[in-house]
Amino acid sequence: EAFIELNKLLKITGLAQTGGHAKIMIKNGEVSLNGKPELQIRKKIREKDEVNCNEQIIRVTKDE
């Protein structure tokens, strides 16, 4: 099953400026996954997951 790691998702969507910035945001509790705080930097994010960071919501969909 396809997935993207949380830190990479934050970086490619522009919510984090760098991979290091993404790591800090996650460690500081600024990111939630499906409504719950997520502290795993490389958490596998899959289709239908919803990531919330600084009041920005990312809904993951399959690119066909």
Side-chain angles (χ1 to χ4, degrees):
E1 188 180 339
F3 69 88
I4 183 168
E5 293 173 351
L6 179 56
N7 58 324
K8 291 179 182 170
L9 179 67
L10 294 177
K11 188 175 169 191
I12 66 164
T13 57
L15 291 174
Q17 295 158 1
T18 64
H21 183 222
K23 196 187 256 186
I24 291 166
M25 292 168 70
I26 296 164
K27 283 188 170 187
N28 285 345
E30 297 175 38
V31 181
S32 65
L33 173 62
N34 300 324
K36 297 178 184 160
E38 184 53 63
L39 299 174
Q40 293 180 57
I41 292 163
R42 290 186 170 83
K43 177 74 175 175
K44 293 177 181 175
I45 307 301
R46 295 185 165 87
E47 186 180 9
K48 297 192 175 124
D49 279 340
E50 189 174 280
V51 175
N52 188 323
C53 178
N54 296 328
E55 300 186 18
Q56 297 285 320
I57 296 174
I58 303 165
R59 287 186 185 89
V60 181
T61 57
K62 193 182 271 182
D63 185 21
E64 306 224 14

